[in-house]
Amino acid sequence: MSELPCPSYDMYHSQPSEYGTSESGSGTDSFHKFFEGWVVEQNQHLKELVASTTTELTDEKLQALIDGVVKHYEYYYEAKSKCAKHDVLAMLSPTWRSSLEDAFLWIGGWRPSMAFHLLYSKAGLQFEAKLDELLQGLRTSDLGDLSATQLAQIDEIQKRTIAEEREITDMMARHQETVADASMVELSHAVSEMLRANETDKGGKKEVEERVDSALMPKEEGLEEILQRADDLRLRTLQGIVNILRPKQCIHFLIAAAELHLRLHEWGKKRDTSRRLNEGTSSDKGTTPDLSTTSR
């Protein structure tokens, strides 16, 4: 697996773990490198999942493959949690994701309830594709063949997930409002007064930095707690759905999840690159020659 990013001081000076330690550098750069490696591994897992649909594997072997994929997701959130302790703002505004992905983020990641939309979308597509077989009473063993019991279990976990998702959303809204609380307004005014009075000597700057750090620290700690709750819900939602599905159904769900993530990431990066190139071209076209230096 990719090396764990954002190691602490103790990790740098201890024996390498099962997955090793990452190189020194900023936490953001470290996680960026980790994420790129994680995506490569996810793509490899996708190939293995797809291959399993065309070969006769026992449920035990399918379950081993499923467990490996789920462990890969768990590993991602373990790494993200470690990095959030060093720089939670980077985890909430990830530079390793594209603008397209950013537009659909919920508290630094995918919205948990989206997993159910993904499941039902794939189930509907597979149901329509094999409708004739299902009408004949044949089992397809894919997501189009969900039982009444499974549907009831999925509905129950979906309700709990949506309720907790809303609770975390409200928690984030309340925390965001603290940016304009009395202490922050007082501090911003005091610092502005110092700047207007040109109190920019070394001692004054240090005092300002200390007051700002003291004010922002609880804000970042609150964000870290909210992000941890959001990531925990994301992982529990994935695990909950996987536990309800039969092995072959689970394979199809994990394929759909990986395909959606990888393709959105790919499409977004291409769009960002194309936009940067277009902006560069427009800038070049907007440059006019200096006529004063032109030969006459």
Side-chain angles (χ1 to χ4, degrees):
M1 286 189 179
S2 300
E3 295 179 346
L4 278 172
C6 305
S8 64
Y9 177 88
D10 291 337
M11 288 178 67
Y12 276 128
H13 295 81
S14 61
Q15 293 297 320
S17 66
E18 177 185 354
Y19 303 112
T21 55
S22 59
E23 299 175 359
S24 60
S26 72
T28 302
D29 291 341
S30 178
F31 195 87
H32 196 158
K33 180 183 293 185
F34 166 82
F35 180 75
E36 290 178 347
W38 190 88
V39 167
V40 171
E41 291 166 355
Q42 185 183 39
N43 195 50
Q44 180 57 41
H45 285 158
L46 175 58
K47 293 177 181 178
E48 294 171 0
L49 289 167
V50 172
S52 73
T53 64
T54 59
T55 55
E56 291 297 328
L57 297 178
T58 63
D59 283 351
E60 288 74 15
K61 289 185 178 181
L62 289 175
Q63 191 60 53
L65 177 57
I66 292 166
D67 291 344
V69 173
V70 173
K71 183 178 180 181
H72 193 236
Y73 281 105
E74 293 171 348
Y75 186 65
Y76 170 79
Y77 288 112
E78 176 189 354
K80 189 176 177 184
S81 177
K82 289 180 182 295
C83 284
K85 296 182 184 301
H86 293 261
D87 189 355
V88 66
L89 300 181
M91 296 300 107
L92 289 170
S93 303
T95 58
W96 44 89
R97 293 192 184 277
S98 65
S99 299
L100 175 63
E101 293 169 289
D102 281 345
F104 291 94
L105 288 184
W106 174 80
I107 311 183
W110 52 276
R111 184 177 287 273
S113 56
M114 188 186 72
F116 300 97
H117 291 286
L118 170 67
L119 174 63
Y120 288 130
S121 293
K122 190 65 177 181
L125 291 169
Q126 291 187 327
F127 179 83
E128 292 177 4
K130 297 184 178 180
L131 180 58
D132 290 340
E133 296 176 40
L134 291 168
L135 290 176
Q136 295 175 32
L138 301 176
R139 305 299 299 271
T140 61
S141 299
D142 58 18
L143 293 173
D145 194 18
L146 293 170
S147 69
T149 299
Q150 286 178 310
L151 289 170
Q153 292 174 327
I154 292 169
D155 182 63
E156 181 60 32
I157 191 175
Q158 181 179 17
K159 291 176 181 177
R160 294 200 305 268
T161 299
I162 291 174
E164 190 170 351
E165 187 180 280
R166 288 174 177 170
E167 181 182 335
I168 297 172
T169 297
D170 291 343
M171 185 179 179
M172 175 60 99
R174 290 192 299 271
H175 189 64
Q176 288 173 329
E177 290 171 355
T178 67
V179 172
D181 62 20
S183 64
M184 291 292 288
V185 173
E186 189 279 330
L187 176 61
S188 64
H189 175 68
V191 172
S192 297
E193 287 288 281
M194 291 180 67
L195 293 173
R196 282 191 285 269
N198 291 321
E199 297 179 12
T200 56
D201 58 280
K202 186 175 181 181
K205 286 183 177 180
K206 184 177 181 181
E207 179 186 352
V208 169
E209 290 174 357
E210 289 177 350
R211 291 187 64 184
V212 171
D213 288 343
S214 178
L216 294 182
M217 184 177 296
K219 309 299 183 187
E220 294 191 19
E221 290 175 347
L223 290 173
E224 183 187 339
E225 178 185 351
I226 294 169
L227 177 61
Q228 183 61 49
R229 284 199 58 182
D231 282 343
D232 179 63
L233 180 58
R234 279 185 267 265
L235 184 56
R236 284 190 287 111
T237 300
L238 174 67
Q239 294 168 332
I241 292 175
V242 166
N243 289 337
I244 291 172
L245 302 177
R246 295 190 294 272
K248 289 184 179 180
Q249 293 174 329
C250 192
I251 292 291
H252 287 285
F253 172 71
L254 293 174
I255 287 174
E259 287 178 340
L260 183 61
H261 174 246
L262 291 170
R263 297 295 79 79
L264 276 174
H265 184 60
E266 176 186 309
W267 298 335
K269 288 178 68 176
K270 286 183 177 179
R271 283 174 174 269
D272 286 347
T273 299
S274 177
R275 183 168 60 253
R276 285 193 293 269
L277 290 174
N278 289 336
E279 289 173 352
T281 302
S282 299
S283 177
D284 292 341
K285 288 181 178 179
T287 303
T288 56
D290 186 352
L291 298 180
S292 63
T293 60
T294 304
S295 299
R296 296 182 181 179

